Amino acid sequence: MKTKDKFSEIEIKLNNELKKCRELVEKEKKEGVSANSEDFNKRGELYKLAFDVAPTARRQDIERLFGWINPQKGERAIDVAAGTGMFSIPLAKITETRLYAVDPSIVQLNNLAKKKGDLDIVTVVDSLSEQSSVGAMKEDIGNIDIITSYGGIHHMLDKEENGILVNKQKEMFKNADKMLKVGGRFIAGDVGANTALSRHFEGSVKQHCLTGHTEKWLSKERFESELLRGTNLIIARIENVDVKWLFESERQMALFMKGLHAYDMTDEEVLEDLRAYLGYQKKGEQFELNWPMLFFHLEKR
């Protein structure tokens, strides 16, 4: 019998949500419903539980990204793929003005709404790749100082509309151009092409996530040759940034990843995959998981 520890109760909740997610995916398969790996409503609660397990594991993400953004009081912002508010909430606390949290998952945005308190955060259930999202923010078109995102842009996949294949990432940057004021900045972090992190997603996550995983990675070459064409956005800076996720134990790390990626795996299988693809090490009293990200800073001319 497994010894009880402080994570035992939340592990039960995680396993229950994994079971629900597994049953939903299996039901859709039996009914012949096409799988949609970008439907984060299926695993929105798992994502929340991951952060209940390790609420400060990703503090370096915020530190690194905010170091690039340097947000100021009074600056209006948009958080793209805002999720449960990991970046929206601390950013709105600094700017003390309106922030739009844009995400296609109503489950995740509902969790954000429960946590935001009196902050002026407007949730938009949509993707910035869609013109409808611009309509939802119409009073601030051309009035936004900051657009940010973290790990969500690679989920914006090409989509066929009226017989034409539409590059949704390019559409997102076009809409960002519309929303930003001249001198405004789009500063974000995402998974870079041909990196240890992209290989982690292409291997482990694609294989073991209950809902699957599809992606379209970012690169400097794509920004220059494709994504920014036809916009007023220029590249100020693009770099690979060494980020660490911090955990007090391997058990905490494994549970966090199971919730984050809807992993239907044992703790040891999760850790084995992390060692193989990303690597982690014990430093003092904590474990550091390598999580290298591609950061970019765009400015509107």
Side-chain angles (χ1 to χ4, degrees):
M1 180 180 289
K2 183 183 289 186
T3 304
K4 286 189 176 182
D5 61 16
K6 69 178 184 178
F7 298 118
S8 296
E9 185 175 336
I10 202 162
E11 182 180 27
I12 292 171
K13 294 179 181 178
L14 266 171
N15 287 335
N16 286 338
E17 286 299 324
L18 285 167
K19 181 181 178 183
K20 289 179 188 177
C21 187
R22 186 188 312 113
E23 289 174 347
L24 179 58
V25 170
E26 290 173 353
K27 180 174 180 287
E28 288 180 343
K29 285 181 180 177
K30 288 179 181 177
E31 294 174 351
V33 177
S34 298
N36 179 9
S37 61
E38 302 310 306
D39 183 0
F40 284 90
N41 288 321
K42 292 177 186 173
R43 55 188 182 99
E45 284 301 317
L46 281 167
Y47 196 84
K48 173 187 174 296
L49 286 170
F51 286 91
D52 289 344
V53 169
T56 63
R58 294 180 59 182
R59 57 188 179 272
Q60 277 195 16
D61 289 336
I62 298 172
E63 292 167 2
R64 297 283 195 276
L65 187 62
F66 282 22
W68 276 50
I69 296 173
N70 188 25
Q72 303 296 312
K73 183 177 178 179
E75 291 190 311
R76 293 205 167 186
I78 299 172
D79 186 7
V80 179
T84 58
M86 176 180 164
F87 294 92
S88 303
I89 291 172
L91 183 55
K93 286 179 179 177
I94 295 171
T95 59
E96 297 183 14
T97 190
R98 181 175 300 162
L99 179 146
Y100 294 97
V102 182
D103 197 287
S105 171
I106 191 170
V107 173
Q108 296 206 51
L109 288 182
N110 283 343
N111 281 321
L112 186 160
K114 292 173 185 176
K115 299 186 294 183
K116 73 181 183 71
D118 295 330
L119 293 171
D120 188 5
I121 297 178
V122 178
T123 56
V124 179
V125 184
D126 209 337
S127 169
L128 191 61
S129 63
E130 304 301 323
Q131 191 61 36
S132 51
S133 70
V134 176
M137 301 180 283
K138 60 185 178 182
E139 64 186 87
D140 276 312
I141 292 174
N143 195 40
I144 297 296
D145 299 280
I146 302 164
I147 298 179
T148 192
S149 182
Y150 204 87
I153 297 172
H154 71 265
H155 291 290
M156 297 179 185
L157 307 176
D158 296 352
K159 184 178 179 182
E160 187 172 320
E161 296 178 352
N162 300 318
I164 299 172
L165 190 63
V166 178
N167 184 331
K168 286 297 182 177
Q169 290 181 354
K170 188 168 183 177
E171 291 299 302
M172 187 272 297
F173 285 108
K174 286 181 181 178
N175 288 335
D177 183 20
K178 292 176 186 176
M179 295 304 303
L180 285 169
K181 62 173 60 171
V182 174
R185 56 211 190 274
F186 191 154
I187 300 176
D190 214 292
V191 182
N194 302 312
T195 62
L197 191 54
S198 67
R199 289 187 285 273
H200 161 72
F201 279 96
E202 291 162 358
S204 177
V205 181
K206 193 183 289 285
Q207 179 181 355
H208 298 294
C209 176
L210 283 168
T211 58
H213 192 274
T214 47
E215 65 285 317
K216 192 175 182 183
W217 305 128
L218 300 181
S219 67
K220 184 179 180 182
E221 292 71 27
R222 289 193 62 222
F223 276 109
E224 293 174 337
S225 65
E226 168 197 346
L227 296 174
L228 303 185
R229 292 285 181 92
T231 74
N232 296 299
L233 302 175
I234 61 169
I235 299 170
R237 183 182 176 194
I238 296 183
E239 291 179 15
N240 290 307
V241 177
D242 181 25
V243 177
K244 309 290 187 190
W245 287 4
L246 309 175
F247 301 92
E248 63 185 59
S249 65
E250 290 177 302
R251 175 157 162 73
Q252 185 190 44
M253 188 192 308
L255 291 174
F256 179 84
M257 298 304 293
K258 287 168 80 169
L260 189 73
H261 288 327
Y263 272 158
D264 198 12
M265 306 163 69
T266 66
D267 288 6
E268 185 49 47
E269 286 171 338
V270 172
L271 295 173
E272 184 178 342
D273 262 28
L274 292 177
R275 286 190 288 264
Y277 284 102
L278 296 168
Y280 65 85
Q281 49 283 327
K282 187 174 184 182
K283 291 286 184 71
E285 296 301 313
Q286 63 186 7
F287 289 84
E288 296 182 348
L289 173 64
N290 302 318
W291 202 263
M293 294 287 283
L294 180 70
F295 276 35
F296 63 84
H297 176 171
L298 312 177
E299 292 183 359
K300 182 171 178 178
R301 293 177 293 189

